[in-house]
PDB file of all heavy atoms in Angstrom:
ATOM      1  N   LEU A 142       0.925  -1.237   0.055  1.00  0.00           N
ATOM      2  CA  LEU A 142      -0.030  -0.075   0.002  1.00  0.00           C
ATOM      3  C   LEU A 142       0.792   1.201   0.017  1.00  0.00           C
ATOM      4  O   LEU A 142       0.568   2.291  -0.691  1.00  0.00           O
ATOM      5  CB  LEU A 142      -0.994   0.022   1.259  1.00  0.00           C
ATOM      6  CG  LEU A 142      -1.978  -1.031   1.229  1.00  0.00           C
ATOM      7  CD1 LEU A 142      -2.636  -0.955   2.623  1.00  0.00           C
ATOM      8  CD2 LEU A 142      -3.043  -0.763   0.201  1.00  0.00           C
ATOM      9  N   VAL A 143       1.972   1.242   0.723  1.00  0.00           N
ATOM     10  CA  VAL A 143       2.815   2.468   1.003  1.00  0.00           C
ATOM     11  C   VAL A 143       3.774   2.512  -0.119  1.00  0.00           C
ATOM     12  O   VAL A 143       4.049   3.742  -0.686  1.00  0.00           O
ATOM     13  CB  VAL A 143       3.465   2.425   2.249  1.00  0.00           C
ATOM     14  CG1 VAL A 143       4.326   3.584   2.475  1.00  0.00           C
ATOM     15  CG2 VAL A 143       2.402   2.381   3.446  1.00  0.00           C
ATOM     16  N   GLY A 144       4.556   1.495  -0.527  1.00  0.00           N
ATOM     17  CA  GLY A 144       5.617   1.543  -1.438  1.00  0.00           C
ATOM     18  C   GLY A 144       5.400   2.220  -2.735  1.00  0.00           C
ATOM     19  O   GLY A 144       6.071   3.081  -3.150  1.00  0.00           O
ATOM     20  N   PRO A 145       4.363   1.718  -3.491  1.00  0.00           N
ATOM     21  CA  PRO A 145       4.045   2.292  -4.766  1.00  0.00           C
ATOM     22  C   PRO A 145       3.714   3.796  -4.801  1.00  0.00           C
ATOM     23  O   PRO A 145       4.062   4.560  -5.583  1.00  0.00           O
ATOM     24  CB  PRO A 145       2.819   1.454  -5.351  1.00  0.00           C
ATOM     25  CG  PRO A 145       2.956   0.201  -4.645  1.00  0.00           C
ATOM     26  CD  PRO A 145       3.521   0.448  -3.307  1.00  0.00           C
ATOM     27  N   ALA A 146       3.007   4.255  -3.738  1.00  0.00           N
ATOM     28  CA  ALA A 146       2.707   5.645  -3.601  1.00  0.00           C
ATOM     29  C   ALA A 146       4.003   6.471  -3.275  1.00  0.00           C
ATOM     30  O   ALA A 146       4.091   7.500  -3.958  1.00  0.00           O
ATOM     31  CB  ALA A 146       1.766   5.898  -2.345  1.00  0.00           C
ATOM     32  N   VAL A 147       4.814   5.982  -2.523  1.00  0.00           N
ATOM     33  CA  VAL A 147       6.173   6.763  -2.256  1.00  0.00           C
ATOM     34  C   VAL A 147       6.882   6.710  -3.494  1.00  0.00           C
ATOM     35  O   VAL A 147       7.533   7.751  -3.950  1.00  0.00           O
ATOM     36  CB  VAL A 147       6.993   6.097  -1.097  1.00  0.00           C
ATOM     37  CG1 VAL A 147       8.297   6.741  -1.068  1.00  0.00           C
ATOM     38  CG2 VAL A 147       6.120   6.214   0.184  1.00  0.00           C
ATOM     39  N   ALA A 148       6.925   5.637  -4.283  1.00  0.00           N
ATOM     40  CA  ALA A 148       7.702   5.495  -5.479  1.00  0.00           C
ATOM     41  C   ALA A 148       7.157   6.542  -6.564  1.00  0.00           C
ATOM     42  O   ALA A 148       7.867   7.179  -7.315  1.00  0.00           O
ATOM     43  CB  ALA A 148       7.665   4.119  -6.086  1.00  0.00           C
ATOM     44  N   GLY A 149       5.837   6.678  -6.681  1.00  0.00           N
ATOM     45  CA  GLY A 149       5.275   7.646  -7.485  1.00  0.00           C
ATOM     46  C   GLY A 149       5.742   9.015  -7.287  1.00  0.00           C
ATOM     47  O   GLY A 149       6.032   9.741  -8.156  1.00  0.00           O
ATOM     48  N   LEU A 150       5.705   9.357  -6.071  1.00  0.00           N
ATOM     49  CA  LEU A 150       6.132  10.633  -5.668  1.00  0.00           C
ATOM     50  C   LEU A 150       7.635  10.866  -5.911  1.00  0.00           C
ATOM     51  O   LEU A 150       7.932  12.061  -6.407  1.00  0.00           O
ATOM     52  CB  LEU A 150       5.864  10.931  -3.979  1.00  0.00           C
ATOM     53  CG  LEU A 150       4.472  10.831  -3.635  1.00  0.00           C
ATOM     54  CD1 LEU A 150       4.382  11.065  -2.103  1.00  0.00           C
ATOM     55  CD2 LEU A 150       3.700  12.130  -4.252  1.00  0.00           C
ATOM     56  N   MET A 151       8.474   9.944  -5.700  1.00  0.00           N
ATOM     57  CA  MET A 151       9.873  10.058  -5.863  1.00  0.00           C
ATOM     58  C   MET A 151      10.206  10.111  -7.339  1.00  0.00           C
ATOM     59  O   MET A 151      11.015  10.994  -7.888  1.00  0.00           O
ATOM     60  CB  MET A 151      10.614   8.929  -5.303  1.00  0.00           C
ATOM     61  CG  MET A 151      10.728   8.986  -3.757  1.00  0.00           C
ATOM     62  SD  MET A 151      11.901   7.810  -3.063  1.00  0.00           S
ATOM     63  CE  MET A 151      13.449   8.718  -3.364  1.00  0.00           C
ATOM     64  N   ILE A 152       9.527   9.305  -8.160  1.00  0.00           N
ATOM     65  CA  ILE A 152       9.686   9.347  -9.683  1.00  0.00           C
ATOM     66  C   ILE A 152       9.309  10.662 -10.175  1.00  0.00           C
ATOM     67  O   ILE A 152      10.078  11.260 -11.056  1.00  0.00           O
ATOM     68  CB  ILE A 152       8.947   8.272 -10.385  1.00  0.00           C
ATOM     69  CG1 ILE A 152       9.634   6.766  -9.844  1.00  0.00           C
ATOM     70  CG2 ILE A 152       9.013   8.323 -11.863  1.00  0.00           C
ATOM     71  CD1 ILE A 152       8.717   5.629 -10.333  1.00  0.00           C
ATOM     72  N   THR A 153       8.235  11.218  -9.735  1.00  0.00           N
ATOM     73  CA  THR A 153       7.709  12.518 -10.277  1.00  0.00           C
ATOM     74  C   THR A 153       8.516  13.582  -9.727  1.00  0.00           C
ATOM     75  O   THR A 153       8.968  14.630 -10.535  1.00  0.00           O
ATOM     76  CB  THR A 153       6.302  12.707  -9.860  1.00  0.00           C
ATOM     77  OG1 THR A 153       5.464  11.541 -10.331  1.00  0.00           O
ATOM     78  CG2 THR A 153       5.723  14.059 -10.356  1.00  0.00           C
ATOM     79  N   GLY A 154       8.980  13.493  -8.545  1.00  0.00           N
ATOM     80  CA  GLY A 154       9.566  14.651  -7.917  1.00  0.00           C
ATOM     81  C   GLY A 154      11.187  14.743  -8.252  1.00  0.00           C
ATOM     82  O   GLY A 154      11.725  15.813  -8.597  1.00  0.00           O
ATOM     83  N   VAL A 155      11.869  13.479  -8.125  1.00  0.00           N
ATOM     84  CA  VAL A 155      13.469  13.612  -8.280  1.00  0.00           C
ATOM     85  C   VAL A 155      13.966  12.505  -9.114  1.00  0.00           C
ATOM     86  O   VAL A 155      15.140  12.610  -9.595  1.00  0.00           O
ATOM     87  CB  VAL A 155      14.077  13.419  -6.839  1.00  0.00           C
ATOM     88  CG1 VAL A 155      13.734  14.582  -5.891  1.00  0.00           C
ATOM     89  CG2 VAL A 155      13.579  12.119  -6.205  1.00  0.00           C
ATOM     90  N   GLY A 156      13.105  11.646  -9.649  1.00  0.00           N
ATOM     91  CA  GLY A 156      13.472  10.559 -10.690  1.00  0.00           C
ATOM     92  C   GLY A 156      13.691   9.225 -10.144  1.00  0.00           C
ATOM     93  O   GLY A 156      13.717   9.006  -8.910  1.00  0.00           O
ATOM     94  N   THR A 157      13.721   8.315 -11.146  1.00  0.00           N
ATOM     95  CA  THR A 157      13.742   6.877 -10.694  1.00  0.00           C
ATOM     96  C   THR A 157      15.094   6.343  -9.943  1.00  0.00           C
ATOM     97  O   THR A 157      14.987   5.586  -9.017  1.00  0.00           O
ATOM     98  CB  THR A 157      13.543   6.016 -11.991  1.00  0.00           C
ATOM     99  OG1 THR A 157      14.562   6.435 -12.978  1.00  0.00           O
ATOM    100  CG2 THR A 157      12.200   6.215 -12.612  1.00  0.00           C
ATOM    101  N   GLY A 158      16.178   7.065 -10.303  1.00  0.00           N
ATOM    102  CA  GLY A 158      17.409   6.747  -9.689  1.00  0.00           C
ATOM    103  C   GLY A 158      17.321   6.772  -8.225  1.00  0.00           C
ATOM    104  O   GLY A 158      17.936   5.972  -7.374  1.00  0.00           O
ATOM    105  N   TRP A 159      16.646   7.833  -7.722  1.00  0.00           N
ATOM    106  CA  TRP A 159      16.497   7.996  -6.116  1.00  0.00           C
ATOM    107  C   TRP A 159      15.649   6.951  -5.611  1.00  0.00           C
ATOM    108  O   TRP A 159      15.887   6.624  -4.398  1.00  0.00           O
ATOM    109  CB  TRP A 159      15.993   9.396  -5.794  1.00  0.00           C
ATOM    110  CG  TRP A 159      16.977  10.423  -6.216  1.00  0.00           C
ATOM    111  CD1 TRP A 159      16.940  11.306  -7.321  1.00  0.00           C
ATOM    112  CD2 TRP A 159      18.062  10.767  -5.547  1.00  0.00           C
ATOM    113  NE1 TRP A 159      18.050  12.106  -7.400  1.00  0.00           N
ATOM    114  CE2 TRP A 159      18.751  11.909  -6.241  1.00  0.00           C
ATOM    115  CE3 TRP A 159      18.708  10.433  -4.343  1.00  0.00           C
ATOM    116  CZ2 TRP A 159      19.940  12.490  -5.788  1.00  0.00           C
ATOM    117  CZ3 TRP A 159      19.972  11.017  -3.942  1.00  0.00           C
ATOM    118  CH2 TRP A 159      20.505  12.026  -4.693  1.00  0.00           C
ATOM    119  N   ALA A 160      14.739   6.448  -6.263  1.00  0.00           N
ATOM    120  CA  ALA A 160      13.913   5.366  -5.752  1.00  0.00           C
ATOM    121  C   ALA A 160      14.775   4.065  -5.608  1.00  0.00           C
ATOM    122  O   ALA A 160      14.690   3.342  -4.641  1.00  0.00           O
ATOM    123  CB  ALA A 160      12.691   5.076  -6.711  1.00  0.00           C
ATOM    124  N   PHE A 161      15.605   3.834  -6.637  1.00  0.00           N
ATOM    125  CA  PHE A 161      16.428   2.779  -6.531  1.00  0.00           C
ATOM    126  C   PHE A 161      17.455   2.894  -5.286  1.00  0.00           C
ATOM    127  O   PHE A 161      17.803   1.851  -4.606  1.00  0.00           O
ATOM    128  CB  PHE A 161      17.374   2.643  -7.772  1.00  0.00           C
ATOM    129  CG  PHE A 161      16.570   2.200  -9.110  1.00  0.00           C
ATOM    130  CD1 PHE A 161      16.785   2.790 -10.239  1.00  0.00           C
ATOM    131  CD2 PHE A 161      15.496   1.150  -8.920  1.00  0.00           C
ATOM    132  CE1 PHE A 161      16.187   2.474 -11.381  1.00  0.00           C
ATOM    133  CE2 PHE A 161      14.847   0.982 -10.160  1.00  0.00           C
ATOM    134  CZ  PHE A 161      15.098   1.593 -11.318  1.00  0.00           C
ATOM    135  N   LEU A 162      17.977   3.973  -5.147  1.00  0.00           N
ATOM    136  CA  LEU A 162      18.912   4.255  -3.963  1.00  0.00           C
ATOM    137  C   LEU A 162      18.105   4.112  -2.687  1.00  0.00           C
ATOM    138  O   LEU A 162      18.759   3.474  -1.804  1.00  0.00           O
ATOM    139  CB  LEU A 162      19.520   5.823  -4.152  1.00  0.00           C
ATOM    140  CG  LEU A 162      20.407   6.148  -2.974  1.00  0.00           C
ATOM    141  CD1 LEU A 162      21.636   5.191  -3.035  1.00  0.00           C
ATOM    142  CD2 LEU A 162      20.944   7.639  -3.195  1.00  0.00           C
ATOM    143  N   ALA A 163      16.876   4.535  -2.616  1.00  0.00           N
ATOM    144  CA  ALA A 163      16.239   4.383  -1.331  1.00  0.00           C
ATOM    145  C   ALA A 163      16.052   2.832  -1.040  1.00  0.00           C
ATOM    146  O   ALA A 163      16.149   2.477   0.038  1.00  0.00           O
ATOM    147  CB  ALA A 163      14.841   4.986  -1.461  1.00  0.00           C
ATOM    148  N   ASN A 164      15.737   2.122  -2.148  1.00  0.00           N
ATOM    149  CA  ASN A 164      15.640   0.572  -1.845  1.00  0.00           C
ATOM    150  C   ASN A 164      16.874   0.112  -1.416  1.00  0.00           C
ATOM    151  O   ASN A 164      16.892  -0.751  -0.469  1.00  0.00           O
ATOM    152  CB  ASN A 164      15.082  -0.053  -3.194  1.00  0.00           C
ATOM    153  CG  ASN A 164      14.960  -1.570  -3.032  1.00  0.00           C
ATOM    154  OD1 ASN A 164      14.471  -2.072  -2.099  1.00  0.00           O
ATOM    155  ND2 ASN A 164      15.552  -2.335  -3.817  1.00  0.00           N
ATOM    156  N   GLY A 165      17.982   0.476  -2.096  1.00  0.00           N
ATOM    157  CA  GLY A 165      19.345  -0.018  -1.627  1.00  0.00           C
ATOM    158  C   GLY A 165      19.521   0.320  -0.144  1.00  0.00           C
ATOM    159  O   GLY A 165      20.074  -0.649   0.689  1.00  0.00           O
TER     160      GLY A 165
END
């Protein structure tokens, strides 16, 4: 429930790379 919503905000705001970094 939480992860996709946060990913959407990060992709829109700062880009996909930061979502990968957050996961790492």
Side-chain angles (χ1 to χ4, degrees):
L142 291 172
V143 176
V147 176
L150 292 174
M151 291 193 72
I152 292 170
T153 303
V155 293
T157 54
W159 293 101
F161 294 139
L162 182 60
N164 179 47

